[in-house]
Amino acid sequence: MLWQVVGLVVVAIAVNFYVNTLFFLDYNKRVFNHRPGPCRRIEGIENGSEDIEFVESKKLAFITSGLVYFPNPHAKYDGKIFLYDFKQGDGKYQAKDLKFVGMENEDFHPHGLSHFILKDGTIRLFVTSHSKQFKHSVYLFDFDESKQQLKLVQIIRDEKFVRPNDIAAFRGRIVPSHYQCGSVVKYDGKKVEVVAAPEASNGIIFSRDFKKFFVSHINHRTVAIYDWDQKKKTLILQTKVPLLTAIDNFYIDKNNVLWIGSHPILKDAVAHLDAPDDLKFKAPSQVLRIQFSSDFKSHDITEVFVDDGNFIAASSVAVEHNNQLLIGSVGRQLVHCDIAHPAVANSKL
Amino acid sequence: MELLLAAVHRVAFWILLAFFASAVIRLILMLDINKRVYNHTPGPCRIVFDEDGKDVDGSAGIHFVRGRNLALITYGYANAFENGSVPSGLASFEFKKGEEQTHHRLKKLDISWNEHVPKHFAPLGLTAFENNGRVLTYVVNSHPKAQCVHFFTLVKSSLQHRKALCDSRFTSLRDIAAVDADRFFVTNLGYFSQGHLQTVELALQSSLGLIYFYDGRNFSVAVSNFPTPSALAIDEKKRLLYVSSLLNEFVRVYEIGRDNTLKQKVDISLLASPVGLHVDYATGDLWAACHPVLLQAFIHQMNPSDKAMKSPSQVLRVRIQEDGISWVVTEPYANDGATISGSNAVTFAADQMLVGSLFERLLHCDILNPQIT
């Protein structure tokens, strides 16, 4: 009798673990393609467009490419930063591969991206990067608009940068997030401090008024919204939004609407990210749009774009401007879509 | 001998335990607990009100009558679940173009009953066959006490009731599709009638569903042991019958022979529970209304009058390639239930889409980019 009870308990634990694993990996999910309007791939970007940073005052988007997601000594692609100009004429969809100044011997594979505009109008970029040996750094670049190149300003390395993922700039300071042993740390130019509770963190971004801070907790499928104390530089958790999808990077538009690149089926994303060069592995892409109430207590979610991976694999970020949508992926294509009608991207019915 | 019996008991215990664990796992996966939909539309949408400007009491079945450019809609399916009664019957929606469409209303059809008005009328699936200018309409009554197929003829803006066929074998009729005048297929979801026994049957994911064929005189079993057949649709050009499985989440394609026998061709897996099917005559595309989260659909169905019990809605479109064995699935519409709850039927015509729900609203959408949406 005792053995039967023990057996029942063991079986119950095994069933629970099995079901939880199936749910975590999204085994019973699939995606169904839909687009907000006509879409096309941007030529010249084939090894990823993991993060996009949109500089609204100049209508420019910076795109990181060539990510090394796991230690990959044999990676055949270079790390790059592309520039997409939203002011391009109708029918033009080109991304420019920017030259670097001062990066001769760097093993550079950029990941997360953020920007700050200096007093003289220069765009300063903050970039998290991993080398092929998987060393982690934060690079600071100034963008020379006339020469269309990026000048290296500073490289920051710290033992608390444990596999940094994304980065958010606050008045020239940086707040990189970490995926492994997840946390959010802040760096004020002198020291590094942990400012958010340990939980795997992916994309991070400030609200436009720098009062809120958004963190994607990818393993729990939630977006956490923090109050940002601008004087003490600390985060206070306000609310969590469960999304039931693996959230990657964020973009905040001028109406404080949150745009999210996510991975709706985690098992496919894991298989794809383990071998991004192998075209046999595809992972679905998803773009969500979340509009919060002013007190952030309620929200409306719209799914603007979904693809099964054939057109764009493993989307990680989406930026909207003027009814144009730029969708980046972890290791593959960059896609541009037209939003054919406001109702398509802001569903009330 | 006692040792042998003890060993047999122990083995039997573990086998039963394994079966039970397997059933529990399959049940948990079936309920879609970790799924949700995120709202999106293929273009501007609006609620379709009735002539009095009110929401309809359900729109669970929709059939597009191509020759008349209108859709027939059943309402009042909630009668199948509660002792109270809601108005039930059929309505029509005429497809128009441009601005004229955005304020168009649903027109409830007058019914001239052949005998008395039936006491329990919970119309669900329906179909129509256009024959020499007449529109022969067949409606499934899903009320557990009056499982019948009703025959109507559409005359201008009213319905003439011809007869009702009931059979003791009917336990859970769902949908119907006509291949000729007074020749149709009808689905029976499971062995048990609506109630606790049916819930247990569905939880165990049995395969006791049936598809009956009516040849003008008798009902015969066209397909036996189909797992929970829910919806039917016919591709007239290719002579194909599509049958969806509610719980196994696929659509099975049959070839309709000259004598109306069915030959199985292929299964289209959806991983969403299909409850309404429509074939677009022009393109051959298959449209499916689905319940993306089955647990919420079940709770919603058990509480038809509780407006707070929302269930997500989803519309899928399957574009079958020329080879007939590969397809692309897109999702033109999805909603978390706030706008339309428990989608149960869909039709598409003139770049417009109608989505019907189990107990509530009818939704009309423009489709801006039919090729990609």
Side-chain angles (χ1 to χ4, degrees):
Chain A
M1 191 58 189
L2 176 64
W3 279 113
Q4 284 179 339
V5 171
V6 171
L8 280 170
V9 171
V10 169
V11 169
I13 292 172
V15 167
N16 180 255
F17 175 80
Y18 181 69
V19 170
N20 280 340
T21 303
L22 290 185
F23 278 177
F24 181 75
L25 293 176
D26 301 316
Y27 257 93
N28 61 333
K29 287 185 188 176
R30 67 164 290 177
V31 298
F32 307 101
N33 298 348
H34 65 90
R35 301 177 184 181
C39 298
R40 74 280 313 165
R41 290 176 176 170
I42 304 295
E43 282 187 30
I45 298 185
E46 289 170 7
N47 296 117
S49 44
E50 205 275 343
D51 205 5
I52 302 174
E53 181 73 3
F54 181 55
V55 182
E56 185 142 26
S57 54
K58 296 179 186 289
K59 309 288 188 285
L60 298 174
F62 295 89
I63 302 144
T64 54
S65 183
L67 169 65
V68 162
Y69 198 78
F70 296 110
N72 188 359
H74 313 294
K76 304 186 187 71
Y77 43 84
D78 294 328
K80 297 178 180 180
I81 295 183
F82 288 88
L83 178 73
Y84 183 87
D85 192 340
F86 275 98
K87 305 189 296 293
Q88 297 180 63
D90 282 344
K92 287 184 180 175
Y93 311 99
Q94 287 171 358
K96 183 182 171 66
D97 183 0
L98 295 177
K99 297 288 191 288
F100 293 104
V101 176
M103 289 279 284
E104 281 73 24
N105 295 312
E106 291 297 323
D107 185 1
F108 178 67
H109 290 277
H111 196 159
L113 194 55
S114 186
H115 87 279
F116 181 72
I117 300 190
L118 304 180
K119 286 175 181 173
D120 64 357
T122 302
I123 300 172
R124 174 159 291 184
L125 291 185
F126 302 84
V127 186
T128 58
S129 175
H130 321 289
S131 68
K132 292 185 178 67
Q133 311 298 327
F134 222 51
K135 299 293 197 285
H136 314 298
S137 314
V138 171
Y139 288 75
L140 277 65
F141 298 99
D142 282 350
F143 176 59
D144 188 330
E145 196 165 0
S146 56
K147 294 182 182 175
Q148 299 276 288
Q149 60 191 19
L150 293 167
K151 187 168 79 170
L152 178 63
V153 172
Q154 186 181 355
I155 304 174
I156 304 167
R157 294 183 174 120
D158 192 280
E159 62 183 8
K160 288 201 178 68
F161 291 168
V162 183
R163 194 171 171 177
N165 192 310
D166 197 12
I167 187 164
F170 173 74
R171 293 183 187 171
R173 304 307 176 203
I174 54 177
V175 187
S177 70
H178 293 70
Y179 189 83
Q180 186 174 301
C181 307
S183 68
V184 176
V185 305
K186 68 165 176 158
Y187 174 75
D188 60 2
K190 297 170 189 169
K191 62 183 180 185
V192 175
E193 292 176 57
V194 175
V195 295
E199 188 175 349
S201 307
N202 200 323
I204 53 173
I205 201 163
F206 283 104
S207 63
R208 287 294 183 113
D209 57 7
F210 289 99
K211 292 180 178 174
K212 301 293 181 188
F213 189 72
F214 301 86
V215 181
S216 82
H217 292 306
I218 185 168
N219 286 348
H220 290 85
R221 321 297 168 94
T222 57
V223 174
I225 304 169
Y226 293 84
D227 287 317
W228 171 248
D229 188 320
Q230 299 191 24
K231 294 179 180 176
K232 296 179 184 174
K233 309 289 194 297
T234 55
L235 297 174
I236 300 158
L237 179 65
Q238 186 193 334
T239 189
K240 287 188 176 182
V241 180
L243 288 180
L244 291 181
T245 186
I247 303 140
D248 210 324
N249 289 326
F250 296 127
Y251 168 68
I252 288 260
D253 71 17
K254 60 193 173 191
N255 300 310
N256 266 336
V257 173
L258 194 65
W259 295 78
I260 297 175
S262 56
H263 308 290
I265 302 179
L266 194 65
K267 69 177 169 69
D268 294 340
V270 169
H272 164 66
L273 297 179
D274 197 37
D277 297 350
D278 195 335
L279 297 185
K280 181 176 63 192
F281 293 108
K282 292 173 290 200
S285 298
Q286 185 184 41
V287 172
L288 299 178
R289 174 192 187 276
I290 309 185
Q291 183 154 15
F292 293 96
S293 58
S294 51
D295 60 357
F296 287 90
K297 286 188 162 47
S298 64
H299 57 273
D300 286 314
I301 303 176
T302 304
E303 185 183 62
V304 183
F305 176 96
V306 163
D307 187 75
D308 54 12
N310 284 300
F311 188 62
I312 176 172
S315 65
S316 51
V317 68
V319 166
E320 183 271 340
H321 172 64
N322 221 19
N323 285 323
Q324 301 175 64
L325 189 62
L326 206 60
I327 307 171
S329 63
V330 176
R332 299 250 176 105
Q333 309 93 345
L334 178 73
V335 157
H336 177 280
C337 293
D338 305 316
I339 296 179
H341 191 281
V344 170
N346 184 10
S347 294
K348 293 296 184 185
L349 278 179
Chain B
M1 192 60 180
E2 285 179 2
L3 285 178
L4 180 61
L5 278 180
V8 168
H9 283 157
R10 197 161 291 140
V11 170
F13 171 80
W14 286 106
I15 291 175
L16 283 179
L17 187 61
F19 172 80
F20 179 74
S22 170
V24 167
I25 291 173
R26 282 187 292 116
L27 174 62
I28 293 172
L29 289 178
M30 184 182 76
L31 294 177
D32 304 320
I33 295 165
N34 65 330
K35 287 186 191 176
R36 63 165 292 166
V37 296
Y38 311 91
N39 301 338
H40 64 92
T41 69
C45 296
R46 57 209 67 84
I47 302 295
V48 182
F49 298 108
D50 64 15
E51 288 161 313
D52 301 322
K54 294 172 183 168
D55 281 338
V56 290
D57 293 301
S59 42
I62 305 179
H63 183 83
F64 179 63
V65 183
R66 186 161 44 89
R68 302 281 186 94
N69 198 41
L70 61 79
L72 294 173
I73 296 116
T74 58
Y75 62 91
Y77 178 53
N79 283 336
F81 295 92
E82 288 176 329
N83 294 324
S85 68
V86 300
S88 61
L90 277 78
S92 70
F93 177 88
E94 197 170 353
F95 284 92
K96 296 179 183 295
K97 300 222 173 188
E99 198 62 33
E100 201 175 352
Q101 187 74 79
T102 55
H103 302 290
H104 199 50
R105 296 291 166 87
L106 207 63
K107 178 184 291 187
K108 289 183 174 174
L109 300 173
D110 295 322
I111 299 179
S112 304
W113 292 98
N114 190 24
E115 296 165 7
H116 51 275
V117 178
K119 189 160 50 171
H120 311 291
F121 191 53
L124 182 51
L126 81 164
T127 188
F129 189 81
E130 304 169 54
N131 186 31
N132 296 328
R134 296 183 302 158
V135 177
L136 306 175
T137 305
Y138 310 94
V139 178
V140 162
N141 184 4
S142 278
H143 198 287
K145 292 178 181 172
Q147 293 266 310
C148 307
V149 176
H150 290 264
F151 293 52
F152 297 93
T153 302
L154 181 65
V155 183
K156 294 183 180 175
S157 297
S158 64
L159 286 166
Q160 182 72 49
H161 186 247
R162 294 164 53 203
K163 62 184 174 181
L165 289 186
C166 317
D167 195 292
S168 57
R169 291 176 291 175
F170 297 158
T171 54
S172 42
L173 294 182
R174 297 282 299 198
D175 202 11
I176 187 166
V179 290
D180 210 332
D182 288 6
R183 308 290 193 273
F184 50 78
F185 295 95
V186 68
T187 56
N188 197 65
L189 186 75
Y191 184 82
F192 290 107
S193 187
Q194 194 174 284
H196 295 310
L197 283 178
Q198 187 186 75
T199 303
V200 173
E201 180 193 358
L202 299 184
L204 292 175
Q205 296 177 54
S206 71
S207 297
L208 299 175
L210 296 166
I211 303 170
Y212 289 104
F213 177 69
Y214 181 72
D215 61 5
R217 280 170 291 137
N218 296 306
F219 284 97
S220 60
V221 175
V223 177
S224 60
N225 297 111
F226 193 104
T228 55
S230 47
L232 293 166
I234 287 180
D235 188 328
E236 300 169 46
K237 293 178 178 174
K238 296 177 183 167
R239 291 279 292 179
L240 299 176
L241 176 72
Y242 295 97
V243 187
S244 61
S245 170
L246 173 72
L247 298 188
N248 289 26
E249 299 182 334
F250 64 78
V251 176
R252 183 163 288 168
V253 189
Y254 293 94
E255 205 168 323
I256 307 176
R258 234 173 290 117
D259 53 353
N260 291 316
T261 53
L262 297 177
K263 180 184 172 187
Q264 185 175 331
K265 286 190 63 169
V266 74
D267 283 357
I268 302 171
S269 175
L270 293 180
L271 275 183
S273 299
V275 280
L277 293 178
H278 167 75
V279 176
D280 182 37
Y281 183 79
T283 60
D285 291 345
L286 178 69
W287 292 70
C290 299
H291 293 315
V293 183
L294 201 63
L295 177 62
Q296 292 194 59
F298 177 76
I299 295 171
H300 175 59
Q301 192 155 291
M302 292 297 110
N303 302 274
S305 60
D306 192 339
K307 300 303 182 188
M309 290 292 176
K310 298 295 185 183
S311 177
S313 298
Q314 185 181 43
V315 173
L316 303 178
R317 189 194 65 189
V318 184
R319 174 156 293 172
I320 301 175
Q321 309 300 301
E322 293 299 326
D323 56 15
I325 56 173
S326 61
W327 50 83
V328 174
V329 186
T330 58
E331 185 186 58
Y333 181 84
N335 186 261
D336 55 12
T339 301
I340 180 172
S341 179
S343 60
N344 207 69
V346 64
T347 196
F348 169 81
D351 291 349
Q352 302 164 49
M353 177 179 74
L354 271 186
V355 187
S357 61
L358 280 167
F359 310 121
E360 293 173 27
R361 295 164 148 179
L362 179 70
L363 186 79
H364 175 254
C365 294
D366 303 320
I367 298 191
L368 297 181
N369 294 280
Q371 290 308 307
I372 63 171
T373 307

